[in-house]
Amino acid sequence: MPAVPSSIIDPIWRQFAALIPPVSDTHPLGCHRPRIADRIVFDKLIQVLVLGASHAKIADSTCSASTLRTRRDKWITAGIFDELEQICLESYDRIVGLDLDNISVDGCIVKAPCGG
């Protein structure tokens, strides 16, 4: 069962896929395991975010936890998530509208009872 309906995730994936830089195969012999598809990794990362599970719990025979973390780190370094965030905010603003005039942030840091 998908973590998010396809009507929501497919448009996000299309935007995300357009931002992924092309991958060049630099192996001198070209004889290594095939690369896990970006869509599989993207779907697994969405599951991690939506379900709040660890990478190890989401990993299965299609994609390992280390592949999830490595690809996530590469995409963060490339700035893909920052660009996708801006695209999502602009789309939401066009469709629904954002009222960012009166925003306040509240937070509190306290010591955990009984030492956490």
Side-chain angles (χ1 to χ4, degrees):
M1 176 190 273
V4 178
S6 63
S7 62
I8 295 172
I9 204 67
D10 286 343
I12 295 173
W13 164 248
R14 284 192 293 276
Q15 290 290 332
F16 191 83
L19 299 173
I20 297 174
V23 178
S24 61
D25 185 11
T26 58
H27 194 278
L29 301 175
C31 57
H32 48 72
R33 292 189 312 174
R35 180 179 167 89
I36 305 291
D38 289 333
R39 178 61 193 250
I40 292 173
V41 176
F42 179 79
D43 287 339
K44 297 285 184 189
L45 288 175
I46 294 296
Q47 290 176 10
V48 168
L49 291 172
V50 171
L51 302 175
S54 69
H55 293 93
K57 296 285 184 186
I58 297 298
D60 57 13
S61 63
T62 61
C63 186
S64 68
S66 61
T67 300
L68 289 172
R69 287 188 292 272
T70 302
R71 199 79 57 92
R72 177 205 61 201
D73 292 343
K74 286 181 182 179
W75 289 343
I76 288 172
T77 304
I80 295 173
F81 290 112
D82 293 333
E83 290 182 47
L84 184 66
E85 179 184 16
Q86 285 302 324
I87 290 169
C88 289
L89 284 173
E90 291 167 5
S91 298
Y92 186 85
D93 188 29
R94 275 195 315 269
I95 296 169
V96 177
L98 290 174
D99 183 17
L100 303 176
D101 294 335
N102 298 319
I103 293 180
S104 65
V105 177
D106 187 15
C108 182
I109 299 174
V110 297
K111 189 173 182 176
C114 303

